Amino acid sequence: MAEPTASQKYLSTRGGSYGLSFEEVVLKGLASDGGLFIPEEIPTLPQDWSSKWKGLSFPDLAFEILSLYISQSEIPPADLKEILRKSYSTFQHEDITPLKTLDASQNLYLLELFHGPTKAFKDVALQFLGNLFEYFLVRRNEGKTGADRHHLTVCGATSGDTGSAAIYGLRGKKDVSVFIMFPQGRVSPIQEAQMTTVLDANVHNLALQGTFDDCQDMTKALFADTELNATHNLAAINSINWARILAQIIYYFHAYFSLAAQPSFSSSSQIRFVVPSGNFGDILAGFFAKKMGLPAAKLVIATNENDILDRFMKTGTYEKQSAADSAPSDATTGIPSDGARAHAAGVRETLSPAMDILVSSNFERLLYLQLVGTTPGSLSEKRTTAALEVGTWLAALKSKGGFTVPQSLLSACQEDFESEKVSDPQTLATIKTFHAPPIPTMESYVLDPHSAVGITASLRSMSRTGTKDVHTISLATAHPAKFAGAVKMALEGVEAFDFEKNVLPKEFVGLEAREKRVRLVAASEGVEGMRRLIREEVEAEGRA
């Protein structure tokens, strides 16, 4: 069998690890030197990819793309196909991520990413990641019994969507325990119900007294605990795990083929993807797709008032800026029932709470890749310089609150990216406009607030570039029912609008009334109390 290619071997952005297997980076999540994993090389597409892959189903297209990153010696083709079939059989639309035309006259499209079991884009990656975990564990545990079996302890912090998507991806999996921490009373009722009504024995919902940042700090402290890692094999499910980025590459290609089937599309057409962005994972997948050879002219970052990415793309300075330090804003204070106020003081609370961040955890990957691309010298010298620079910049971010990159790196980023910042009033206006569009060529559509941020940015992008032979695809990251407060605020008083009738999916009806299982964790318990809880619950699972 052929040796793994450079794109099927992995390294850390901090320079401490090279030549790692796909299985190693998936199960580890975070590199031991604190860096993030990326492939040693971004693969190029086969010469005949556009004709060969045309018309493939989502799972078959996924197989072609992922095979460039996963060696057959690690996961044989038949096994990878079965993992993908299983992962996407849970979706409720035959196209998995269908492309919806919003305005044919303006070539504006919406890529619906919310047809998975929890109605959020994270299902695309976390259904796949859950099945990967299961596959690797079954293989490692063949012929083993009792304490000899390899058991994975998945830990994650969530302000809503990540937790439910992780739980639905891992519920009932053998040899996996799932611990999801969320801030008590600070996620939306629907999001909390999606998590806590899952009663599988391997799922543990932990409501922490505090903020989302307290939950995240707790998770980081657990991963830094060498003893707990050694005994319980901790694994990450948030977007630092490379498998999540990898799975998201698929729907950029799927969108391209869906668009190419439109009568208005031609070989000379330009494509721009607009992505609501917080932690930078979703749009980073688009960057990988573009560098592989997908003909995307630009990737447009759409942020809310938490605009560290927008400021960087315009100035080259990556700097934390709390709500107290930033200029006066027309943002609202967010809606608690939609998950606002899930963060500590400093993050601006908005109507699109999944994007309320101070720093973007995946941005390190882009910095490293752009440094390798702009630094002179041999590949080894480029990698060494990039790892040192990334480490220095992130240390400055921690100690000084920010850093500034060279103009050459900023220019490289601006070749691939544009950015827009969208306020809450603009978000509400977009939801209202698209519910009752003013012109007949526009489809009536109910947007969730995050997707509305993307559409607002799309309209600005279109006004700059024009729409003649320019096709704009905006990513819809969640079903509007998951953020009912913002949708109702935007459409309050609108004639003939009925949220329960027009928006609420049948899966959500009565969800909050179902039996729940959740454990309250007092702030006073601290890290030691959490360690003890995890050990007790995993041991109890083993006895069951």
Side-chain angles (χ1 to χ4, degrees):
M1 193 169 286
E3 285 292 307
T5 64
S7 66
Q8 295 168 340
K9 294 184 288 187
Y10 294 85
L11 56 79
S12 165
T13 52
R14 304 290 178 88
S17 303
Y18 290 92
L20 296 177
S21 69
F22 179 69
E23 180 175 352
E24 287 175 300
V25 303
V26 169
L27 294 181
K28 283 174 68 71
L30 184 69
S32 55
D33 60 5
L36 303 181
F37 293 120
I38 56 172
E40 292 189 359
E41 178 181 287
I42 297 176
T44 54
L45 297 173
Q47 191 171 0
D48 60 349
W49 71 275
S50 60
S51 58
K52 181 183 175 185
W53 297 355
K54 181 181 178 181
L56 291 182
S57 67
F58 190 95
D60 288 343
L61 179 62
F63 172 78
E64 297 293 340
I65 295 166
L66 268 55
S67 293
L68 300 175
Y69 291 92
I70 304 170
S71 171
Q72 293 185 17
S73 62
E74 282 201 76
I75 305 181
D79 292 357
L80 181 57
K81 286 181 178 180
E82 177 57 21
I83 290 170
L84 292 166
R85 184 205 62 76
K86 190 175 179 182
S87 299
Y88 300 115
S89 65
T90 59
F91 281 64
Q92 295 177 335
H93 196 288
E94 62 180 359
D95 290 335
I96 312 302
T97 58
L99 189 69
K100 171 81 172 177
T101 302
L102 286 187
D103 188 347
S105 69
Q106 301 293 311
N107 295 324
L108 175 61
Y109 306 88
L110 195 69
L111 184 62
E112 294 184 338
L113 304 176
F114 51 75
H115 291 282
T118 73
K119 305 293 185 184
F121 82 99
K122 294 172 183 180
D123 288 323
V124 177
L126 284 166
Q127 287 291 303
F128 174 62
L129 182 57
N131 287 314
L132 274 180
F133 281 156
E134 181 178 52
Y135 177 81
F136 290 139
L137 288 172
V138 166
R139 186 163 66 187
R140 288 186 174 208
N141 289 328
E142 187 176 358
K144 296 179 181 177
T145 58
D148 291 335
R149 295 182 68 81
H150 188 93
H151 187 94
L152 207 61
T153 304
V154 174
C155 294
T158 187
S159 57
D161 282 344
T162 295
S164 57
I167 286 169
Y168 276 69
L170 293 165
R171 62 187 300 181
K173 302 290 188 191
K174 193 172 183 179
D175 297 313
V176 182
S177 299
V178 190
F179 292 86
I180 298 297
M181 292 164 253
F182 65 89
Q184 182 192 11
R186 297 187 176 190
V187 300
S188 77
I190 283 292
Q191 289 171 322
E192 182 170 341
Q194 281 188 311
M195 293 187 284
T196 58
T197 57
V198 176
L199 306 179
D200 297 69
N202 71 322
V203 173
H204 308 275
N205 282 290
L206 308 173
L208 269 66
Q209 291 180 329
T211 67
F212 170 69
D213 293 312
D214 295 325
C215 297
Q216 206 159 36
D217 288 344
M218 179 73 77
T219 304
K220 290 176 182 176
L222 293 172
F223 276 94
D225 185 329
T226 53
E227 182 186 349
L228 187 65
N229 269 276
T231 58
H232 285 71
N233 302 309
L234 299 194
I237 47 83
N238 62 14
S239 59
I240 63 170
N241 194 305
W242 164 248
R244 283 193 54 179
I245 307 299
L246 179 59
Q248 289 170 177
I249 295 172
I250 304 162
Y251 50 67
Y252 284 90
F253 283 91
H254 192 256
Y256 167 79
F257 285 111
S258 296
L259 181 60
Q262 300 285 333
S264 60
F265 186 82
S266 68
S267 58
S268 62
S269 295
Q270 185 186 115
I271 308 171
R272 299 166 74 88
F273 287 94
V274 184
V275 187
S277 301
N279 270 328
F280 201 72
D282 205 359
I283 200 163
L284 181 68
F287 176 78
F288 272 91
K290 188 175 189 295
K291 292 304 179 184
M292 289 170 69
L294 184 70
K298 285 287 183 184
L299 300 166
V300 182
I301 300 165
T303 77
N304 61 20
E305 292 279 341
N306 298 287
D307 61 345
I308 187 170
L309 294 169
D310 179 60
R311 285 183 281 113
F312 173 85
M313 288 297 167
K314 289 178 168 63
T315 67
T317 296
Y318 190 77
E319 184 179 30
K320 294 180 185 179
Q321 191 176 63
S322 70
D325 295 334
S326 59
S329 167
D330 57 357
T332 70
T333 57
I335 299 176
S337 65
D338 278 357
R341 298 186 179 87
H343 303 267
V347 176
R348 189 180 295 282
E349 296 160 353
T350 76
L351 297 176
S352 46
M355 295 154 61
D356 290 350
I357 51 91
L358 274 180
V359 296
S360 300
S361 58
N362 275 290
F363 199 61
E364 177 174 341
R365 285 178 162 123
L366 178 70
L367 291 174
Y368 179 92
L369 289 165
Q370 297 288 37
L371 275 166
V372 169
T374 57
T375 301
S378 66
L379 179 58
S380 176
E381 290 169 337
K382 289 171 181 279
R383 287 175 173 173
T384 299
T385 300
L388 288 172
E389 285 279 27
V390 165
T392 300
W393 288 340
L394 291 173
L397 180 66
K398 189 174 183 179
S399 62
K400 301 176 183 178
F403 58 86
T404 300
V405 303
Q407 182 58 45
S408 59
L409 191 145
L410 176 60
S411 297
C413 290
Q414 290 172 337
E415 286 183 16
D416 295 309
F417 296 95
E418 288 179 2
S419 65
E420 294 287 349
K421 178 174 78 170
V422 178
S423 70
D424 277 356
Q426 292 163 344
T427 301
L428 292 171
T430 297
I431 294 173
K432 192 168 186 175
T433 296
F434 277 80
H435 174 257
I439 55 177
T441 57
M442 293 174 63
E443 292 276 345
S444 175
Y445 197 94
V446 179
L447 296 161
D448 95 281
H450 306 82
S451 305
V453 168
I455 288 295
T456 307
S458 298
L459 296 174
R460 291 183 197 164
S461 173
M462 291 158 59
S463 70
R464 285 194 306 271
T465 63
T467 58
K468 182 176 172 54
D469 219 22
V470 178
H471 296 254
T472 301
I473 298 175
S474 192
L475 274 58
T477 55
H479 191 284
K482 300 203 76 169
F483 299 94
V487 173
K488 290 178 179 178
M489 180 185 291
L491 301 179
E492 184 178 12
V494 172
E495 188 178 350
F497 175 70
D498 184 325
F499 182 85
E500 281 68 29
K501 182 179 178 181
N502 303 135
V503 178
L504 194 69
K506 65 180 187 301
E507 295 89 347
F508 288 4
V509 176
L511 184 63
E512 294 172 49
R514 295 179 193 170
E515 180 184 355
K516 299 178 178 67
R517 186 159 61 87
V518 60
R519 182 163 174 174
L520 178 63
V521 180
S524 58
E525 295 218 25
V527 178
E528 184 50 47
M530 187 61 72
R531 288 192 200 102
R532 185 170 58 252
L533 183 155
I534 288 173
R535 290 190 179 106
E536 289 173 358
E537 293 290 355
V538 172
E539 186 178 337
E541 278 185 57
R543 291 196 303 266

